[in-house]
Short mmCIF file of all heavy atoms in Angstrom, two decimals:
data_model
loop_
_atom_site.label_atom_id
_atom_site.label_comp_id
_atom_site.label_asym_id
_atom_site.label_seq_id
_atom_site.Cartn_x
_atom_site.Cartn_y
_atom_site.Cartn_z
N MET A 1 5.43 -3.91 -16.00
CA MET A 1 4.48 -2.89 -15.59
C MET A 1 3.88 -2.25 -16.83
O MET A 1 4.60 -1.88 -17.76
CB MET A 1 5.19 -1.82 -14.74
CG MET A 1 4.29 -0.68 -14.40
SD MET A 1 5.09 0.71 -13.55
CE MET A 1 5.64 -0.04 -12.07
N LEU A 2 2.61 -2.13 -16.82
CA LEU A 2 1.90 -1.44 -17.90
C LEU A 2 1.84 0.04 -17.55
O LEU A 2 1.47 0.40 -16.43
CB LEU A 2 0.48 -2.00 -18.04
CG LEU A 2 -0.45 -1.28 -19.01
CD1 LEU A 2 0.07 -1.42 -20.45
CD2 LEU A 2 -1.86 -1.83 -18.88
N VAL A 3 2.22 0.89 -18.48
CA VAL A 3 2.18 2.33 -18.24
C VAL A 3 1.20 2.95 -19.24
O VAL A 3 1.31 2.72 -20.45
CB VAL A 3 3.59 2.96 -18.41
CG1 VAL A 3 3.52 4.46 -18.22
CG2 VAL A 3 4.59 2.31 -17.45
N LEU A 4 0.24 3.68 -18.72
CA LEU A 4 -0.77 4.31 -19.57
C LEU A 4 -0.80 5.81 -19.31
O LEU A 4 -0.55 6.25 -18.19
CB LEU A 4 -2.16 3.75 -19.24
CG LEU A 4 -2.36 2.25 -19.42
CD1 LEU A 4 -3.70 1.82 -18.85
CD2 LEU A 4 -2.26 1.88 -20.89
N SER A 5 -1.11 6.57 -20.31
CA SER A 5 -1.35 8.00 -20.16
C SER A 5 -2.85 8.22 -20.16
O SER A 5 -3.57 7.66 -21.00
CB SER A 5 -0.71 8.78 -21.31
OG SER A 5 0.68 8.63 -21.29
N ARG A 6 -3.35 8.98 -19.23
CA ARG A 6 -4.77 9.25 -19.11
C ARG A 6 -4.98 10.73 -18.87
O ARG A 6 -4.13 11.41 -18.31
CB ARG A 6 -5.40 8.48 -17.93
CG ARG A 6 -5.22 6.99 -17.95
CD ARG A 6 -6.22 6.24 -18.83
NE ARG A 6 -6.04 6.50 -20.24
CZ ARG A 6 -6.99 6.33 -21.15
NH1 ARG A 6 -8.18 5.93 -20.81
NH2 ARG A 6 -6.76 6.55 -22.40
N LYS A 7 -6.11 11.22 -19.25
CA LYS A 7 -6.49 12.61 -19.00
C LYS A 7 -7.58 12.61 -17.94
O LYS A 7 -8.20 11.58 -17.67
CB LYS A 7 -7.00 13.27 -20.28
CG LYS A 7 -5.93 13.41 -21.35
CD LYS A 7 -6.49 14.01 -22.60
CE LYS A 7 -5.38 14.09 -23.65
NZ LYS A 7 -5.87 14.54 -24.93
N THR A 8 -7.86 13.78 -17.41
CA THR A 8 -8.90 13.91 -16.40
C THR A 8 -10.21 13.33 -16.90
O THR A 8 -10.60 13.54 -18.05
CB THR A 8 -9.10 15.39 -16.03
OG1 THR A 8 -7.86 15.89 -15.52
CG2 THR A 8 -10.17 15.56 -14.97
N ASN A 9 -10.84 12.56 -16.04
CA ASN A 9 -12.14 11.90 -16.28
C ASN A 9 -12.04 10.66 -17.16
O ASN A 9 -13.05 10.04 -17.45
CB ASN A 9 -13.18 12.86 -16.83
CG ASN A 9 -14.53 12.60 -16.21
OD1 ASN A 9 -14.62 12.04 -15.12
ND2 ASN A 9 -15.58 12.98 -16.90
N GLU A 10 -10.86 10.29 -17.60
CA GLU A 10 -10.70 9.03 -18.32
C GLU A 10 -10.53 7.91 -17.32
O GLU A 10 -10.18 8.14 -16.16
CB GLU A 10 -9.50 9.10 -19.28
CG GLU A 10 -9.76 10.04 -20.45
CD GLU A 10 -8.61 10.06 -21.45
OE1 GLU A 10 -7.47 9.75 -21.07
OE2 GLU A 10 -8.87 10.39 -22.61
N THR A 11 -10.77 6.70 -17.76
CA THR A 11 -10.77 5.56 -16.84
C THR A 11 -9.80 4.48 -17.29
O THR A 11 -9.34 4.45 -18.43
CB THR A 11 -12.18 4.94 -16.73
OG1 THR A 11 -12.56 4.45 -18.00
CG2 THR A 11 -13.19 5.94 -16.21
N ILE A 12 -9.55 3.58 -16.36
CA ILE A 12 -8.81 2.35 -16.61
C ILE A 12 -9.63 1.23 -15.99
O ILE A 12 -10.05 1.34 -14.84
CB ILE A 12 -7.40 2.41 -15.96
CG1 ILE A 12 -6.59 3.55 -16.57
CG2 ILE A 12 -6.70 1.06 -16.11
CD1 ILE A 12 -5.29 3.84 -15.82
N LYS A 13 -9.89 0.20 -16.74
CA LYS A 13 -10.63 -0.95 -16.23
C LYS A 13 -9.66 -2.07 -15.89
O LYS A 13 -8.74 -2.37 -16.66
CB LYS A 13 -11.62 -1.47 -17.28
CG LYS A 13 -12.68 -0.47 -17.70
CD LYS A 13 -13.79 -0.38 -16.70
CE LYS A 13 -14.67 -1.61 -16.82
NZ LYS A 13 -15.81 -1.55 -15.90
N ILE A 14 -9.87 -2.68 -14.73
CA ILE A 14 -9.09 -3.85 -14.32
C ILE A 14 -10.08 -4.98 -14.12
O ILE A 14 -10.93 -4.92 -13.22
CB ILE A 14 -8.30 -3.57 -13.03
CG1 ILE A 14 -7.34 -2.39 -13.25
CG2 ILE A 14 -7.55 -4.82 -12.58
CD1 ILE A 14 -6.63 -1.92 -12.00
N GLY A 15 -10.00 -5.95 -14.98
CA GLY A 15 -10.96 -7.05 -14.93
C GLY A 15 -12.35 -6.52 -15.23
O GLY A 15 -12.53 -5.49 -15.89
N ASP A 16 -13.36 -7.25 -14.75
CA ASP A 16 -14.73 -6.88 -15.04
C ASP A 16 -15.34 -5.92 -14.03
O ASP A 16 -16.36 -5.30 -14.29
CB ASP A 16 -15.61 -8.14 -15.06
CG ASP A 16 -15.27 -9.03 -16.25
OD1 ASP A 16 -14.79 -8.50 -17.27
OD2 ASP A 16 -15.48 -10.25 -16.13
N ASN A 17 -14.70 -5.78 -12.86
CA ASN A 17 -15.39 -5.04 -11.80
C ASN A 17 -14.55 -4.01 -11.06
O ASN A 17 -14.92 -3.57 -9.98
CB ASN A 17 -16.01 -6.02 -10.81
CG ASN A 17 -14.99 -7.02 -10.30
OD1 ASN A 17 -13.80 -6.86 -10.54
ND2 ASN A 17 -15.44 -8.02 -9.59
N ILE A 18 -13.42 -3.62 -11.61
CA ILE A 18 -12.62 -2.56 -10.98
C ILE A 18 -12.38 -1.47 -12.02
O ILE A 18 -11.96 -1.74 -13.14
CB ILE A 18 -11.28 -3.09 -10.45
CG1 ILE A 18 -11.54 -4.16 -9.38
CG2 ILE A 18 -10.43 -1.95 -9.89
CD1 ILE A 18 -10.29 -4.85 -8.87
N GLU A 19 -12.69 -0.23 -11.62
CA GLU A 19 -12.49 0.89 -12.52
C GLU A 19 -11.77 2.02 -11.78
O GLU A 19 -12.15 2.39 -10.67
CB GLU A 19 -13.83 1.42 -13.04
CG GLU A 19 -13.68 2.58 -14.01
CD GLU A 19 -15.01 3.02 -14.59
OE1 GLU A 19 -15.51 2.32 -15.47
OE2 GLU A 19 -15.52 4.06 -14.13
N LEU A 20 -10.73 2.52 -12.39
CA LEU A 20 -9.99 3.67 -11.86
C LEU A 20 -10.34 4.87 -12.74
O LEU A 20 -10.32 4.77 -13.96
CB LEU A 20 -8.48 3.43 -11.91
CG LEU A 20 -7.96 2.14 -11.29
CD1 LEU A 20 -6.46 2.03 -11.51
CD2 LEU A 20 -8.29 2.07 -9.83
N ARG A 21 -10.64 5.99 -12.10
CA ARG A 21 -10.97 7.20 -12.85
C ARG A 21 -10.04 8.33 -12.40
O ARG A 21 -9.88 8.56 -11.20
CB ARG A 21 -12.42 7.62 -12.62
CG ARG A 21 -12.82 8.89 -13.40
CD ARG A 21 -14.29 9.20 -13.21
NE ARG A 21 -15.15 8.12 -13.70
CZ ARG A 21 -15.55 7.97 -14.96
NH1 ARG A 21 -15.22 8.86 -15.87
NH2 ARG A 21 -16.32 6.96 -15.30
N ILE A 22 -9.43 8.99 -13.35
CA ILE A 22 -8.58 10.14 -13.04
C ILE A 22 -9.51 11.32 -12.78
O ILE A 22 -10.22 11.78 -13.68
CB ILE A 22 -7.61 10.46 -14.21
CG1 ILE A 22 -6.80 9.23 -14.62
CG2 ILE A 22 -6.72 11.64 -13.85
CD1 ILE A 22 -6.02 8.57 -13.51
N LEU A 23 -9.53 11.79 -11.53
CA LEU A 23 -10.44 12.86 -11.14
C LEU A 23 -9.84 14.25 -11.33
O LEU A 23 -10.51 15.18 -11.73
CB LEU A 23 -10.85 12.68 -9.68
CG LEU A 23 -11.57 11.37 -9.36
CD1 LEU A 23 -11.82 11.27 -7.87
CD2 LEU A 23 -12.86 11.25 -10.14
N GLU A 24 -8.54 14.35 -11.04
CA GLU A 24 -7.91 15.67 -11.09
C GLU A 24 -6.40 15.52 -11.17
O GLU A 24 -5.84 14.64 -10.52
CB GLU A 24 -8.30 16.47 -9.83
CG GLU A 24 -7.74 17.85 -9.78
CD GLU A 24 -8.17 18.57 -8.49
OE1 GLU A 24 -8.39 17.90 -7.47
OE2 GLU A 24 -8.27 19.80 -8.53
N VAL A 25 -5.78 16.36 -11.95
CA VAL A 25 -4.32 16.42 -11.99
C VAL A 25 -3.95 17.85 -11.64
O VAL A 25 -4.39 18.80 -12.31
CB VAL A 25 -3.77 16.07 -13.40
CG1 VAL A 25 -2.26 16.19 -13.41
CG2 VAL A 25 -4.23 14.69 -13.82
N LYS A 26 -3.22 17.99 -10.54
CA LYS A 26 -2.83 19.32 -10.09
C LYS A 26 -1.36 19.27 -9.68
O LYS A 26 -1.02 18.65 -8.68
CB LYS A 26 -3.69 19.75 -8.90
CG LYS A 26 -3.50 21.19 -8.48
CD LYS A 26 -4.29 21.55 -7.25
CE LYS A 26 -5.78 21.54 -7.51
NZ LYS A 26 -6.56 21.96 -6.32
N GLY A 27 -0.49 19.87 -10.50
CA GLY A 27 0.94 19.82 -10.21
C GLY A 27 1.43 18.38 -10.26
O GLY A 27 1.21 17.68 -11.24
N ASP A 28 2.06 17.94 -9.16
CA ASP A 28 2.55 16.56 -9.13
C ASP A 28 1.61 15.65 -8.35
O ASP A 28 2.00 14.58 -7.91
CB ASP A 28 3.97 16.51 -8.56
CG ASP A 28 4.05 17.01 -7.14
OD1 ASP A 28 3.06 17.58 -6.64
OD2 ASP A 28 5.10 16.84 -6.50
N THR A 29 0.37 16.08 -8.18
CA THR A 29 -0.62 15.28 -7.46
C THR A 29 -1.75 14.87 -8.39
O THR A 29 -2.26 15.69 -9.16
CB THR A 29 -1.20 16.08 -6.27
OG1 THR A 29 -0.12 16.46 -5.42
CG2 THR A 29 -2.19 15.24 -5.49
N ILE A 30 -2.13 13.61 -8.29
CA ILE A 30 -3.23 13.08 -9.09
C ILE A 30 -4.27 12.51 -8.14
O ILE A 30 -3.95 11.76 -7.24
CB ILE A 30 -2.73 11.96 -10.03
CG1 ILE A 30 -1.67 12.48 -10.97
CG2 ILE A 30 -3.90 11.37 -10.82
CD1 ILE A 30 -0.97 11.41 -11.77
N ARG A 31 -5.52 12.90 -8.30
CA ARG A 31 -6.62 12.32 -7.51
C ARG A 31 -7.25 11.23 -8.36
O ARG A 31 -7.59 11.45 -9.52
CB ARG A 31 -7.65 13.38 -7.14
CG ARG A 31 -7.10 14.39 -6.17
CD ARG A 31 -8.14 15.40 -5.74
NE ARG A 31 -9.23 14.71 -5.06
CZ ARG A 31 -10.53 14.93 -5.27
NH1 ARG A 31 -10.90 15.86 -6.13
NH2 ARG A 31 -11.45 14.28 -4.60
N ILE A 32 -7.38 10.04 -7.77
CA ILE A 32 -7.89 8.88 -8.47
C ILE A 32 -9.11 8.36 -7.73
O ILE A 32 -9.08 8.20 -6.51
CB ILE A 32 -6.82 7.77 -8.54
CG1 ILE A 32 -5.59 8.27 -9.28
CG2 ILE A 32 -7.39 6.52 -9.22
CD1 ILE A 32 -4.42 7.30 -9.22
N GLY A 33 -10.19 8.11 -8.45
CA GLY A 33 -11.36 7.45 -7.88
C GLY A 33 -11.30 5.97 -8.22
O GLY A 33 -10.94 5.61 -9.33
N ILE A 34 -11.64 5.13 -7.27
CA ILE A 34 -11.59 3.68 -7.47
C ILE A 34 -12.96 3.10 -7.17
O ILE A 34 -13.50 3.30 -6.09
CB ILE A 34 -10.54 3.04 -6.54
CG1 ILE A 34 -9.17 3.67 -6.77
CG2 ILE A 34 -10.50 1.52 -6.75
CD1 ILE A 34 -8.14 3.30 -5.71
N GLU A 35 -13.50 2.39 -8.15
CA GLU A 35 -14.72 1.63 -7.94
C GLU A 35 -14.36 0.16 -7.99
O GLU A 35 -13.84 -0.32 -9.01
CB GLU A 35 -15.77 1.94 -9.00
CG GLU A 35 -16.37 3.32 -8.85
CD GLU A 35 -17.51 3.55 -9.82
OE1 GLU A 35 -18.12 2.56 -10.27
OE2 GLU A 35 -17.77 4.72 -10.14
N ALA A 36 -14.57 -0.51 -6.86
CA ALA A 36 -14.23 -1.93 -6.77
C ALA A 36 -15.17 -2.59 -5.78
O ALA A 36 -15.74 -1.91 -4.91
CB ALA A 36 -12.78 -2.08 -6.31
N PRO A 37 -15.34 -3.88 -5.88
CA PRO A 37 -16.15 -4.59 -4.89
C PRO A 37 -15.56 -4.40 -3.49
O PRO A 37 -14.34 -4.26 -3.34
CB PRO A 37 -16.04 -6.06 -5.32
CG PRO A 37 -15.59 -6.03 -6.74
CD PRO A 37 -14.82 -4.77 -6.91
N LYS A 38 -16.43 -4.41 -2.48
CA LYS A 38 -15.96 -4.22 -1.10
C LYS A 38 -15.01 -5.33 -0.67
O LYS A 38 -14.23 -5.16 0.25
CB LYS A 38 -17.15 -4.15 -0.15
CG LYS A 38 -17.94 -2.88 -0.33
CD LYS A 38 -19.07 -2.80 0.68
CE LYS A 38 -19.93 -1.60 0.38
NZ LYS A 38 -19.72 -0.50 1.20
N SER A 39 -15.06 -6.45 -1.34
CA SER A 39 -14.19 -7.57 -0.98
C SER A 39 -12.74 -7.35 -1.42
O SER A 39 -11.85 -8.10 -1.03
CB SER A 39 -14.72 -8.87 -1.60
OG SER A 39 -14.75 -8.75 -3.01
N VAL A 40 -12.50 -6.33 -2.23
CA VAL A 40 -11.14 -6.05 -2.71
C VAL A 40 -10.49 -5.05 -1.76
O VAL A 40 -11.03 -3.96 -1.54
CB VAL A 40 -11.17 -5.48 -4.15
CG1 VAL A 40 -9.78 -5.07 -4.59
CG2 VAL A 40 -11.78 -6.49 -5.11
N ASP A 41 -9.35 -5.42 -1.19
CA ASP A 41 -8.60 -4.51 -0.33
C ASP A 41 -7.91 -3.47 -1.21
O ASP A 41 -7.25 -3.81 -2.19
CB ASP A 41 -7.54 -5.25 0.48
CG ASP A 41 -8.15 -6.16 1.52
OD1 ASP A 41 -9.26 -5.85 2.00
OD2 ASP A 41 -7.52 -7.17 1.86
N ILE A 42 -8.07 -2.20 -0.84
CA ILE A 42 -7.39 -1.11 -1.53
C ILE A 42 -6.56 -0.38 -0.49
O ILE A 42 -7.10 0.19 0.46
CB ILE A 42 -8.40 -0.15 -2.20
CG1 ILE A 42 -9.25 -0.93 -3.20
CG2 ILE A 42 -7.67 1.01 -2.85
CD1 ILE A 42 -10.40 -0.16 -3.77
N LEU A 43 -5.26 -0.44 -0.64
CA LEU A 43 -4.35 0.13 0.35
C LEU A 43 -3.34 1.03 -0.33
O LEU A 43 -2.94 0.79 -1.47
CB LEU A 43 -3.61 -1.00 1.10
CG LEU A 43 -4.50 -2.03 1.78
CD1 LEU A 43 -3.67 -3.21 2.22
CD2 LEU A 43 -5.22 -1.40 2.96
N ARG A 44 -2.89 2.05 0.39
CA ARG A 44 -1.82 2.91 -0.12
C ARG A 44 -0.51 2.14 -0.03
O ARG A 44 -0.19 1.54 0.99
CB ARG A 44 -1.74 4.19 0.68
CG ARG A 44 -2.96 5.05 0.52
CD ARG A 44 -2.86 6.36 1.23
NE ARG A 44 -1.79 6.44 2.19
CZ ARG A 44 -1.78 7.27 3.21
NH1 ARG A 44 -2.78 8.08 3.40
NH2 ARG A 44 -0.77 7.30 4.04
N GLY A 45 0.25 2.14 -1.14
CA GLY A 45 1.49 1.38 -1.21
C GLY A 45 2.49 1.74 -0.13
O GLY A 45 3.13 0.88 0.46
N GLU A 46 2.63 3.04 0.16
CA GLU A 46 3.62 3.46 1.16
C GLU A 46 3.22 2.98 2.55
O GLU A 46 4.08 2.69 3.39
CB GLU A 46 3.85 4.98 1.13
CG GLU A 46 2.68 5.83 1.57
CD GLU A 46 1.68 6.11 0.45
OE1 GLU A 46 1.75 5.49 -0.63
OE2 GLU A 46 0.81 6.97 0.66
N LEU A 47 1.92 2.86 2.82
CA LEU A 47 1.46 2.36 4.10
C LEU A 47 1.76 0.86 4.24
O LEU A 47 2.24 0.40 5.28
CB LEU A 47 -0.04 2.61 4.26
CG LEU A 47 -0.67 2.19 5.57
CD1 LEU A 47 -0.04 2.93 6.74
CD2 LEU A 47 -2.17 2.43 5.54
N VAL A 48 1.52 0.11 3.19
CA VAL A 48 1.83 -1.32 3.19
C VAL A 48 3.33 -1.53 3.41
O VAL A 48 3.75 -2.38 4.20
CB VAL A 48 1.38 -1.99 1.88
CG1 VAL A 48 1.88 -3.42 1.79
CG2 VAL A 48 -0.13 -1.93 1.75
N GLN A 49 4.16 -0.71 2.73
CA GLN A 49 5.61 -0.85 2.88
C GLN A 49 6.04 -0.52 4.31
O GLN A 49 6.89 -1.21 4.89
CB GLN A 49 6.34 0.07 1.88
CG GLN A 49 7.85 -0.13 1.89
CD GLN A 49 8.24 -1.55 1.51
OE1 GLN A 49 7.80 -2.08 0.49
NE2 GLN A 49 9.07 -2.19 2.33
N SER A 50 5.46 0.51 4.90
CA SER A 50 5.80 0.89 6.28
C SER A 50 5.45 -0.23 7.26
O SER A 50 6.25 -0.56 8.14
CB SER A 50 5.05 2.17 6.65
OG SER A 50 5.27 2.48 8.01
N ILE A 51 4.29 -0.82 7.10
CA ILE A 51 3.87 -1.92 7.99
C ILE A 51 4.78 -3.13 7.79
O ILE A 51 5.20 -3.77 8.76
CB ILE A 51 2.39 -2.28 7.74
CG1 ILE A 51 1.51 -1.13 8.23
CG2 ILE A 51 2.02 -3.59 8.43
CD1 ILE A 51 0.06 -1.25 7.82
N THR A 52 5.12 -3.43 6.53
CA THR A 52 6.02 -4.54 6.24
C THR A 52 7.37 -4.33 6.90
O THR A 52 7.93 -5.23 7.53
CB THR A 52 6.18 -4.72 4.72
OG1 THR A 52 4.90 -4.97 4.15
CG2 THR A 52 7.13 -5.85 4.39
N ASP A 53 7.91 -3.10 6.79
CA ASP A 53 9.20 -2.79 7.41
C ASP A 53 9.13 -2.93 8.92
O ASP A 53 10.05 -3.47 9.55
CB ASP A 53 9.64 -1.37 7.03
CG ASP A 53 9.98 -1.23 5.55
OD1 ASP A 53 10.11 -2.27 4.87
OD2 ASP A 53 10.06 -0.08 5.08
N THR A 54 8.05 -2.42 9.52
CA THR A 54 7.89 -2.50 10.97
C THR A 54 7.79 -3.96 11.43
O THR A 54 8.42 -4.36 12.41
CB THR A 54 6.64 -1.73 11.42
OG1 THR A 54 6.80 -0.36 11.03
CG2 THR A 54 6.44 -1.80 12.92
N ASN A 55 7.02 -4.77 10.70
CA ASN A 55 6.88 -6.18 11.05
C ASN A 55 8.21 -6.92 10.91
O ASN A 55 8.56 -7.75 11.76
CB ASN A 55 5.81 -6.85 10.18
CG ASN A 55 4.42 -6.43 10.57
OD1 ASN A 55 4.20 -5.88 11.65
ND2 ASN A 55 3.46 -6.65 9.70
N THR A 56 8.95 -6.62 9.87
CA THR A 56 10.26 -7.25 9.67
C THR A 56 11.21 -6.87 10.80
O THR A 56 11.92 -7.72 11.34
CB THR A 56 10.85 -6.83 8.31
OG1 THR A 56 9.96 -7.23 7.28
CG2 THR A 56 12.21 -7.47 8.08
N GLU A 57 11.19 -5.60 11.16
CA GLU A 57 12.06 -5.13 12.24
C GLU A 57 11.69 -5.78 13.57
O GLU A 57 12.56 -6.17 14.34
CB GLU A 57 11.93 -3.60 12.36
CG GLU A 57 12.85 -3.00 13.40
CD GLU A 57 12.66 -1.49 13.47
OE1 GLU A 57 12.54 -0.86 12.41
OE2 GLU A 57 12.62 -0.97 14.58
N SER A 58 10.39 -5.94 13.84
CA SER A 58 9.97 -6.54 15.10
C SER A 58 10.28 -8.02 15.18
O SER A 58 10.39 -8.59 16.26
CB SER A 58 8.48 -6.31 15.33
OG SER A 58 7.72 -7.07 14.43
N MET A 59 10.46 -8.66 14.03
CA MET A 59 10.77 -10.09 14.01
C MET A 59 12.25 -10.37 14.23
O MET A 59 12.63 -11.49 14.53
CB MET A 59 10.32 -10.71 12.69
CG MET A 59 8.81 -10.78 12.59
SD MET A 59 8.17 -11.38 11.01
CE MET A 59 9.31 -12.58 10.49
N SER A 60 13.11 -9.36 14.07
CA SER A 60 14.53 -9.59 14.29
C SER A 60 14.78 -9.67 15.79
O SER A 60 14.16 -8.99 16.60
CB SER A 60 15.35 -8.48 13.65
OG SER A 60 15.11 -7.27 14.30
N VAL A 61 15.67 -10.53 16.15
CA VAL A 61 15.94 -10.78 17.57
C VAL A 61 17.29 -10.19 17.93
O VAL A 61 18.30 -10.47 17.29
CB VAL A 61 15.94 -12.30 17.85
CG1 VAL A 61 16.31 -12.58 19.29
CG2 VAL A 61 14.59 -12.90 17.51
N ASN A 62 17.30 -9.38 18.95
CA ASN A 62 18.56 -8.91 19.51
C ASN A 62 19.05 -10.02 20.45
O ASN A 62 18.47 -10.26 21.50
CB ASN A 62 18.34 -7.60 20.27
CG ASN A 62 19.64 -7.05 20.82
OD1 ASN A 62 20.51 -7.80 21.26
ND2 ASN A 62 19.75 -5.73 20.80
N LEU A 63 20.10 -10.71 20.06
CA LEU A 63 20.57 -11.87 20.80
C LEU A 63 21.00 -11.52 22.22
O LEU A 63 20.84 -12.34 23.13
CB LEU A 63 21.68 -12.57 20.04
CG LEU A 63 21.25 -13.19 18.71
CD1 LEU A 63 22.44 -13.84 17.99
CD2 LEU A 63 20.14 -14.21 18.92
N ASP A 64 21.54 -10.34 22.42
CA ASP A 64 21.96 -9.94 23.77
C ASP A 64 20.75 -9.81 24.69
O ASP A 64 20.77 -10.29 25.82
CB ASP A 64 22.73 -8.61 23.73
CG ASP A 64 24.05 -8.74 23.00
OD1 ASP A 64 24.60 -9.87 22.99
OD2 ASP A 64 24.53 -7.73 22.46
N ILE A 65 19.71 -9.18 24.21
CA ILE A 65 18.49 -9.02 25.02
C ILE A 65 17.84 -10.39 25.22
O ILE A 65 17.38 -10.71 26.31
CB ILE A 65 17.51 -8.03 24.35
CG1 ILE A 65 18.11 -6.63 24.37
CG2 ILE A 65 16.16 -8.05 25.05
CD1 ILE A 65 17.30 -5.59 23.62
N PHE A 66 17.83 -11.22 24.17
CA PHE A 66 17.25 -12.56 24.29
C PHE A 66 17.99 -13.37 25.35
O PHE A 66 17.38 -14.04 26.18
CB PHE A 66 17.29 -13.27 22.93
CG PHE A 66 16.67 -14.63 22.95
CD1 PHE A 66 15.29 -14.77 22.99
CD2 PHE A 66 17.45 -15.78 22.92
CE1 PHE A 66 14.70 -16.02 23.01
CE2 PHE A 66 16.87 -17.03 22.94
CZ PHE A 66 15.49 -17.15 22.98
N ALA A 67 19.32 -13.32 25.33
CA ALA A 67 20.12 -14.06 26.31
C ALA A 67 19.84 -13.55 27.72
O ALA A 67 19.74 -14.34 28.67
CB ALA A 67 21.60 -13.92 25.98
N GLU A 68 19.69 -12.24 27.85
CA GLU A 68 19.42 -11.65 29.17
C GLU A 68 18.04 -12.09 29.69
O GLU A 68 17.89 -12.40 30.87
CB GLU A 68 19.48 -10.12 29.06
CG GLU A 68 19.51 -9.41 30.39
CD GLU A 68 20.79 -9.67 31.17
OE1 GLU A 68 21.86 -9.85 30.56
OE2 GLU A 68 20.70 -9.69 32.40
N LEU A 69 17.06 -12.13 28.80
CA LEU A 69 15.71 -12.52 29.20
C LEU A 69 15.60 -14.00 29.55
O LEU A 69 14.79 -14.39 30.39
CB LEU A 69 14.71 -12.19 28.08
CG LEU A 69 14.47 -10.71 27.82
CD1 LEU A 69 13.62 -10.52 26.57
CD2 LEU A 69 13.81 -10.05 29.02
N THR A 70 16.42 -14.83 28.89
CA THR A 70 16.33 -16.27 29.15
C THR A 70 17.30 -16.74 30.21
O THR A 70 17.32 -17.91 30.58
CB THR A 70 16.59 -17.05 27.85
OG1 THR A 70 17.87 -16.69 27.33
CG2 THR A 70 15.49 -16.77 26.82
N LYS A 71 18.09 -15.81 30.73
CA LYS A 71 19.07 -16.15 31.77
C LYS A 71 18.35 -16.53 33.06
O LYS A 71 17.46 -15.84 33.52
CB LYS A 71 19.95 -14.92 32.02
CG LYS A 71 21.14 -15.17 32.86
CD LYS A 71 22.05 -13.98 32.66
CE LYS A 71 22.58 -13.38 33.88
NZ LYS A 71 23.39 -12.22 33.69
N LYS A 72 18.74 -17.67 33.60
CA LYS A 72 18.13 -18.11 34.84
C LYS A 72 18.95 -17.60 36.01
O LYS A 72 20.17 -17.63 36.00
CB LYS A 72 18.08 -19.63 34.87
CG LYS A 72 17.16 -20.19 33.83
CD LYS A 72 17.04 -21.68 33.96
CE LYS A 72 16.07 -22.18 32.88
NZ LYS A 72 15.89 -23.59 32.94
N GLU A 73 18.27 -17.14 36.98
CA GLU A 73 18.96 -16.59 38.15
C GLU A 73 19.09 -17.61 39.24
O GLU A 73 18.42 -18.50 39.43
CB GLU A 73 18.21 -15.37 38.67
CG GLU A 73 18.25 -14.26 37.65
CD GLU A 73 17.56 -13.00 38.18
OE1 GLU A 73 17.53 -12.78 39.41
OE2 GLU A 73 17.05 -12.26 37.36
#
């Protein structure tokens, strides 16, 4: 992981077409502006992790419920 120190209004360039700008630092909160092509997905990490956890949980099979559902009467 690359770690950089930036001040308000300074930028970080990623490749030729993505730029991050530090807009404001207030306490433990940082506002970041992102300029990127519309084709680049920009997602909050905690949201991606939550969806991944939910998808993983939904893929696990409760064998007791599965056996009950597949039981022929």
Side-chain angles (χ1 to χ4, degrees):
M1 174 187 298
L2 173 65
V3 178
L4 300 171
S5 296
R6 304 278 68 202
K7 294 178 182 174
T8 300
N9 220 23
E10 290 183 336
T11 62
I12 298 170
K13 299 280 285 183
I14 300 173
D16 292 333
N17 53 10
I18 299 175
E19 181 176 284
L20 308 176
R21 180 176 300 275
I22 306 305
L23 300 175
E24 181 180 29
V25 178
K26 188 184 292 183
D28 61 350
T29 302
I30 301 170
R31 293 183 61 225
I32 300 172
I34 303 169
E35 288 186 24
K38 290 183 186 258
S39 60
V40 175
D41 291 331
I42 301 171
L43 303 169
R44 295 184 345 204
E46 67 276 12
L47 182 61
V48 172
Q49 185 61 50
S50 174
I51 291 170
T52 300
D53 292 347
T54 300
N55 287 344
T56 300
E57 183 180 317
S58 70
M59 290 175 35
S60 66
V61 176
N62 182 323
L63 294 178
D64 294 333
I65 293 174
F66 182 74
E68 192 67 32
L69 291 172
T70 57
K71 190 165 132 182
K72 294 185 179 180
E73 294 183 28

